[in-house]
Amino acid sequence: MKNLNKIFIVLLLGIFVSCDEKLDINTDPNYPGEINAGLALTSAEATLVSVTGAELTNYGGFLAQYHTQAPSASQYENIDSYNVNITYANALWTQLYAGTLTDLQYVTTQSEAAGDTGSALIAEALRAYTFQLLVDLFGDVPYSEALQGNSGNITPVADSGADIYADLIEKLDAAVAAYEANPTEAEVGAQDIIYSADIDSWIQFINTLKLKMYLRMAYTSQANATAVNALLTEGNFITADAKFDNFVSSTNKTNPFYGSYLSNAGDGLGDVNHVASNSLHDFYTENGDPRLQAVFRASLTGTYASIPQGTGNTYNNTATAYARPNIGDTTPVFLISLAESDFLQAEALIRYSGGTGAKEKYDAGVAASFATYQTYFGLDGTASATDFTGAGGAYEYVASSDVETAVRQVIIQKWAALPYVNTIEAFIESTRTKFPEVVEAGTQDYSIGNRIPSDISVLTGVNVPSILYYPADEVNRNPNITQHTALTQNVWWDQKPE
């Protein structure tokens, strides 16, 4: 898969290299001799989505219990059994640091030198998104001393996640302030695949990202009601899915999960490893939710069968007998969906504004999820979210004076809205909030949203992973990185009592 991602990124870059009218036939336009900020930005975005859209969609799907290892296959039993080792994250760590973040640093340097505050703002937004993701997955990571290899520092210290979050928010605010003080048209233009350099949209993205970061802090002493309420009062959040959709139906140019896991390209295994987990499948079916047939593809016989998490070894058939992830060759990779933004606002209103307006944002989140699955995953256009959120509906929001009771409704619907849209986010949010709860097998109520320990779990009780091991490559060469003691070690914001 590593090689596939490299090819994917190179080909994406090639799309944006224009040819001079007097092109030298000995010059390959797909491999430019010089790179500018726009090409670096395209590369950064492509690398980021190749990680989140492929490996982290795979990993998050097992932990959020959207999919499980298929019978008659064993490629990802290490993930399904919570037995991920210290080499697992080598590639994704390198791609995010040496790929995405290094390219974004170049964009920042070039943009600031040119006085291009627009492009600098875009780079800062993506930098914050990437570092936040690294913190959420690994905990403390290199930050203040990172990306300084040219100066000889190849052993950066790991900064605390709390300090990184605080600095990211400060730098996001500074980037917006610099742009507003001297607004310039971003020179990266259409080489920004996500918003085509529309700075108003990027500012909305930044506000939404900041809201997400503040809510990550909800169970910590850094919880900041004042900052959250200021964002809510301004109300300037994303108004559409933030997505990367520059994929075509051609080998090595497709959606990265499709190309790596579902097609016959990539590792050559084809679509044999992922089948629907009962945890999500039964939540949908027991609530009559039509998103089942958008999130998953039917079996060869047209059914949507599933199995309990981690039980593939007890069956003798193959993946095609079950529902499987419905990711196509041109399905976008989403950074933040509109549904996620609405659910963030609903949770914020519950926690910090007495719940006023939470129902409206909750209902809007469910509606936005239906719309995303209709637009990109083939959900029947007649499916109506209001049938579920209206009076007496399966997902009717019920106000509660107990914050956690009210928040649970929001997080369960977020979990139901994120499959193959932003799968890793579902895992991270379940780690933060403990919803859907992990309960002993046999005691679950899938209709309200529950997970169970994987049947092949190497952990005890109802424990599930909450962090990734640092990659062995990093630990071996950097004495300032101390390996985690277990996959159940907590990220800094993971402080909700259990």
Side-chain angles (χ1 to χ4, degrees):
M1 190 186 72
K2 187 188 302 184
N3 289 335
L4 185 146
N5 285 338
K6 289 179 180 178
I7 295 170
F8 163 71
I9 293 163
V10 168
L11 288 171
L12 281 171
L13 285 176
I15 294 172
F16 297 96
V17 180
S18 61
C19 302
D20 188 273
E21 291 181 358
K22 298 180 180 180
L23 180 67
D24 186 333
I25 61 172
N26 293 315
T27 301
D28 185 346
N30 289 334
Y31 296 87
E34 296 182 4
I35 188 171
N36 59 25
L39 283 172
L41 181 68
T42 304
S43 177
E45 293 177 346
T47 306
L48 175 61
V49 302
S50 76
V51 173
T52 60
E55 187 56 52
L56 292 181
T57 294
N58 182 48
Y59 182 81
F62 282 104
L63 274 295
Q65 298 195 359
Y66 295 157
H67 55 241
T68 187
Q69 180 66 62
S72 303
S74 60
Q75 183 76 5
Y76 305 112
E77 280 191 355
N78 63 319
I79 301 175
D80 215 2
S81 64
Y82 315 142
N83 197 25
V84 171
N85 64 26
I86 61 174
T87 65
Y88 170 75
N90 282 342
L92 72 88
W93 178 279
T94 300
Q95 288 165 356
L96 292 178
Y97 270 105
T100 297
L101 290 170
T102 297
D103 284 337
L104 291 175
Q105 183 171 260
Y106 180 84
V107 176
T108 298
T109 300
Q110 296 298 307
S111 299
E112 289 181 347
D116 181 357
T117 58
S119 296
L121 180 146
I122 296 170
E124 192 57 49
L126 289 167
R127 174 182 174 275
Y129 185 96
T130 304
F131 267 118
Q132 182 228 326
L133 178 63
L134 284 162
V135 169
D136 292 349
L137 293 174
F138 296 96
D140 301 347
V141 296
Y143 178 73
S144 61
E145 296 181 359
L147 310 175
Q148 297 179 14
N150 290 337
S151 65
N153 184 2
I154 59 173
T155 58
V157 299
D159 297 274
S160 76
D163 288 346
I164 295 171
Y165 259 55
D167 194 65
L168 291 176
I169 291 172
E170 182 178 326
K171 284 185 167 53
L172 286 171
D173 289 342
V176 173
Y179 173 79
E180 291 178 342
N182 180 31
T184 66
E185 182 176 352
E187 294 183 4
V188 296
Q191 290 173 309
D192 166 24
I193 308 302
I194 297 166
Y195 283 130
S196 294
D198 182 338
I199 302 302
D200 289 341
S201 293
W202 276 111
I203 290 175
Q204 291 175 339
F205 180 92
I206 286 172
N207 289 336
T208 310
L209 178 60
K210 285 170 58 181
L211 181 61
K212 179 167 74 168
M213 294 173 72
Y214 281 124
L215 287 175
R216 288 280 204 268
M217 307 177 198
Y219 299 104
T220 76
S221 60
Q222 286 87 349
N224 191 332
T226 301
V228 170
N229 281 318
L231 286 170
L232 292 173
T233 298
E234 183 180 358
N236 191 28
F237 303 108
I238 63 171
T239 58
D241 296 326
K243 64 188 186 300
F244 185 104
D245 59 0
N246 195 51
F247 305 118
V248 295
S249 301
S250 180
T251 302
N252 298 327
K253 297 181 183 180
T254 66
N255 172 286
F257 188 90
Y258 177 88
S260 297
Y261 301 102
L262 300 185
S263 74
N264 288 322
D267 59 13
L269 293 175
D271 182 8
V272 301
N273 280 294
H274 305 83
V275 298
S277 170
N278 280 3
S279 302
L280 178 67
H281 173 278
D282 288 9
F283 175 81
Y284 283 151
T285 57
E286 293 184 27
N287 288 294
D289 194 325
R291 287 178 292 182
L292 173 72
Q293 297 181 27
V295 169
F296 298 112
R297 291 171 295 124
S299 70
L300 289 184
T301 58
T303 64
Y304 287 85
S306 62
I307 63 175
Q309 194 73 30
T311 62
N313 289 332
T314 65
Y315 297 85
N316 294 322
N317 44 15
T318 62
T320 56
Y322 301 94
R324 291 150 295 153
N326 183 31
I327 298 178
D329 51 0
T330 60
T331 302
V333 173
F334 300 84
L335 275 70
I336 305 176
S337 68
L338 180 58
E340 182 185 344
S341 175
D342 286 326
F343 290 131
L344 287 168
Q345 293 171 67
E347 180 184 353
L349 289 165
I350 292 167
R351 291 192 184 280
Y352 303 118
S353 294
T356 302
K359 171 178 167 50
E360 289 73 19
K361 285 299 178 181
Y362 169 93
D363 290 352
V366 178
S369 172
F370 273 60
T372 293
Y373 284 117
Q374 286 169 345
T375 302
Y376 302 108
F377 295 84
L379 177 63
D380 183 351
T382 64
S384 174
T386 57
D387 291 341
F388 293 84
T389 57
Y395 302 148
E396 179 186 6
Y397 178 80
V398 180
S400 174
S401 59
D402 181 75
V403 168
E404 288 301 304
T405 298
V407 165
R408 186 186 191 281
Q409 299 173 81
V410 175
I411 301 302
I412 294 299
Q413 280 306 312
K414 184 187 289 188
W415 174 72
L418 289 175
Y420 312 120
V421 172
N422 194 337
T423 302
I424 194 63
E425 182 67 17
F427 160 65
I428 294 168
E429 283 290 78
S430 68
T431 300
R432 174 178 71 94
T433 65
K434 315 308 174 192
F435 302 134
E437 299 90 342
V438 182
V439 300
E440 292 183 8
T443 69
Q444 72 272 14
D445 181 352
Y446 287 135
S447 69
I448 66 169
N450 276 165
R451 293 174 293 156
I452 60 173
S454 173
D455 191 63
I456 53 175
S457 173
V458 300
L459 303 177
T460 59
V462 295
N463 289 309
V464 295
S466 54
I467 203 166
L468 283 173
Y469 285 125
Y470 292 119
D473 288 350
E474 180 70 16
V475 175
N476 290 340
R477 65 172 175 250
N478 186 353
N480 291 315
I481 300 292
T482 302
Q483 187 59 271
H484 302 310
T485 56
L487 290 175
T488 53
Q489 189 171 325
N490 288 2
V491 175
W492 79 275
W493 42 252
D494 185 5
Q495 299 183 34
K496 181 179 178 181
E498 298 186 59

